[in-house]
Amino acid sequence: MENYEELLNCIVKEIQKKSTKTSVPVGISNRHIHLSHGALTKLFGQGYELTELKPLSQTGQFACKECLTLCGPKGVIEKVRVLGPVRKDTQVEILMSDSFKLGIKGDVRLSGDIADTPGLTLVGPKGSYELDKGVIVAERHIHMAPADAVAFQVKDGEKVGLKVPGTRGGILDNVSIRVDDSFTLECHLDTEEANAMGITPGLNLEIIK
Amino acid sequence: MENYEELLNCIVKEIQKKSTKTSVPVGISNRHIHLSHGALTKLFGQGYELTELKPLSQTGQFACKECLTLCGPKGVIEKVRVLGPVRKDTQVEILMSDSFKLGIKGDVRLSGDIADTPGLTLVGPKGSYELDKGVIVAERHIHMAPADAVAFQVKDGEKVGLKVPGTRGGILDNVSIRVDDSFTLECHLDTEEANAMGITPGLNLEIIK
């Protein structure tokens, strides 16, 4: 009987070990814009609603048909995609290289953390919208549901590393874990991070703690 | 006397330890063009000579006043800087993101290793030049003189890692060591690699073996 229990324990441990997740799929973001209702109205007109082009991996999020122009003190970037739905605050996520082109500071921040970030002017078909803050370079992060956090043995707000294979491989430090019931498991990097490390969409990267 | 010799040995060892180099200054390259004499003539006219704008860190190399347009099957990139002096082969060093814009393959290669790489069309003030190969995404590398190689205890062709500090920090694997009498100690990264890892010009990065 004792041997039987030992065998059971051994099987349970093996199953647990195999169910501990270690790798996450990658999603790569280019520069994009989230609009508040006020900004949407000013840029596209009263009563305007965003037009969904295609759904994104995070539930309820979508790429829109609409694009806008970003205007900074030193330069302009045209055809920047709007993502929906409308949010409480307008937020513009740029690449670090865009910050040099626009002539504004490139602040690496997690989405939503926009205190003391730079602004710029958005230009749309019905007018312009002067943003006093909300321009960030997105800090790399991993979205996951609470069950994923258990499987990975990580907590919301924790920072982990990601091992990148290949010629341009290496390790990305300080990748923030973001846990929410609504989140689908995915690591978000921007196009500069992906290009620099030779990462293509859908690649799975190993978490290092 | 024995104690005196011991003390001397100890001092020599300490000096040797401190003279073992571990970090290298970083130089960041944007997209650029090296021209052959034939390409220079076709693009700028018979007898044309490149105009030096400013010297680069590697002895004899310089940024030129001249810029050209890169044309690929899917897109165009204007105002791309020519570097001098003229070389045996024309070589165009682009960013990985440029490869998507131009519509050509982004081949990560060391400078000079251009067999089976894609081509494109260069457009200048006096005509265009169709390049059948020579477009690369530069493989990250460290230039050093033979004395540096001794100090770092590395060999030409060896690959090392680079430890990057900061919020966007981590480790860059597979950084090639290139040793030549003419080389000045410097690690060459492209702007996407630098932006992705939060690296600014002149930063010193630690070599990891």
Side-chain angles (χ1 to χ4, degrees):
Chain A
M1 186 62 184
E2 210 179 317
N3 277 344
Y4 186 61
E5 275 183 21
E6 265 179 32
L7 180 65
L8 261 181
N9 278 332
C10 194
I11 291 169
V12 166
K13 273 184 190 162
E14 278 304 302
I15 289 171
Q16 278 179 331
K17 220 188 289 174
K18 287 196 168 50
S19 72
T20 302
K21 290 185 179 179
T22 57
S23 80
V24 288
V26 175
I28 301 167
S29 306
N30 203 345
R31 63 182 75 86
H32 61 268
I33 303 162
H34 301 281
L35 290 177
S36 67
H37 189 262
L40 179 72
T41 302
K42 184 81 165 56
L43 292 159
F44 292 95
Q46 193 65 45
Y48 191 88
E49 285 188 22
L50 292 169
T51 320
E52 181 169 339
L53 195 68
K54 63 171 184 176
L56 300 176
S57 56
Q58 298 303 314
T59 311
Q61 305 291 305
F62 53 90
C64 302
K65 192 195 70 179
E66 290 78 10
C67 288
L68 293 167
T69 300
L70 309 183
C71 303
K74 277 199 184 163
V76 160
I77 301 175
E78 295 178 288
K79 295 178 187 165
V80 181
R81 183 75 52 194
V82 175
L83 303 189
V86 159
R87 287 193 180 183
K88 187 177 154 284
D89 294 310
T90 297
Q91 181 173 289
V92 180
E93 300 183 32
I94 60 171
L95 306 174
M96 191 58 83
S97 56
D98 296 342
S99 74
F100 305 128
K101 190 166 186 187
L102 294 165
I104 58 174
K105 191 163 171 261
D107 252 345
V108 179
R109 300 283 189 100
L110 281 174
S111 184
D113 176 22
I114 59 169
D116 304 317
T117 53
L120 49 63
T121 298
L122 293 168
V123 178
K126 292 287 170 69
S128 67
Y129 184 83
E130 205 177 328
L131 196 62
D132 64 344
K133 66 176 182 212
V135 184
I136 65 170
V137 176
E139 188 175 314
R140 51 201 183 213
H141 55 276
I142 303 170
H143 288 279
M144 59 174 70
D148 295 317
V150 172
F152 281 105
Q153 298 171 16
V154 293
K155 285 180 183 164
D156 184 56
E158 187 176 337
K159 295 201 173 190
V160 298
L162 282 174
K163 175 81 189 136
V164 184
T167 308
R168 287 195 138 188
I171 292 170
L172 294 169
D173 284 343
N174 302 323
V175 189
S176 293
I177 299 290
R178 307 199 78 176
V179 181
D180 191 275
D181 281 328
S182 70
F183 287 165
T184 304
L185 182 65
E186 195 171 51
C187 168
H188 283 188
L189 304 176
D190 72 21
T191 56
E192 287 193 303
E193 292 174 308
N195 288 339
M197 306 295 280
I199 299 168
T200 48
L203 190 72
N204 276 267
L205 297 181
E206 190 192 340
I207 285 183
I208 303 168
K209 285 196 283 185
Chain B
M1 185 60 183
E2 210 178 319
N3 276 344
Y4 187 62
E5 276 184 20
E6 265 179 30
L7 180 64
L8 261 182
N9 278 332
C10 195
I11 290 168
V12 166
K13 273 184 189 161
E14 278 305 302
I15 290 171
Q16 278 179 330
K17 221 190 283 174
K18 285 193 172 49
S19 73
T20 303
K21 291 186 180 179
T22 58
S23 79
V24 288
V26 175
I28 302 169
S29 306
N30 203 346
R31 61 182 76 86
H32 61 267
I33 302 162
H34 302 282
L35 290 176
S36 67
H37 190 262
L40 179 73
T41 302
K42 185 78 167 53
L43 291 159
F44 292 94
Q46 193 66 44
Y48 191 87
E49 285 188 21
L50 291 170
T51 320
E52 181 168 339
L53 194 68
K54 63 171 185 177
L56 299 176
S57 56
Q58 298 303 315
T59 310
Q61 304 291 304
F62 53 90
C64 302
K65 193 194 71 176
E66 289 78 9
C67 289
L68 293 166
T69 300
L70 310 182
C71 303
K74 277 199 183 164
V76 160
I77 300 175
E78 296 178 286
K79 295 177 187 165
V80 181
R81 183 76 52 196
V82 175
L83 303 190
V86 159
R87 287 192 179 184
K88 187 177 153 283
D89 294 310
T90 297
Q91 181 173 289
V92 180
E93 300 184 33
I94 60 170
L95 306 175
M96 191 57 82
S97 56
D98 297 343
S99 74
F100 305 128
K101 190 168 185 183
L102 294 165
I104 58 175
K105 192 162 170 260
D107 253 345
V108 179
R109 298 284 190 101
L110 282 174
S111 183
D113 175 22
I114 59 169
D116 305 317
T117 54
L120 49 62
T121 299
L122 293 167
V123 178
K126 291 287 170 71
S128 68
Y129 184 83
E130 205 177 329
L131 195 63
D132 64 345
K133 67 177 180 209
V135 183
I136 65 168
V137 176
E139 189 175 313
R140 52 200 182 215
H141 56 275
I142 303 170
H143 288 279
M144 58 175 73
D148 295 317
V150 172
F152 281 104
Q153 298 171 14
V154 293
K155 285 180 183 165
D156 184 56
E158 188 176 338
K159 295 202 174 190
V160 297
L162 282 174
K163 174 80 189 140
V164 184
T167 308
R168 287 195 139 187
I171 293 170
L172 294 170
D173 284 342
N174 302 324
V175 188
S176 293
I177 300 289
R178 307 198 77 175
V179 182
D180 190 276
D181 282 327
S182 69
F183 287 163
T184 303
L185 182 64
E186 195 171 51
C187 168
H188 283 187
L189 304 177
D190 72 21
T191 56
E192 288 193 302
E193 291 174 308
N195 288 338
M197 305 296 279
I199 299 167
T200 48
L203 190 73
N204 277 266
L205 298 181
E206 190 192 340
I207 285 184
I208 302 167
K209 285 196 283 184

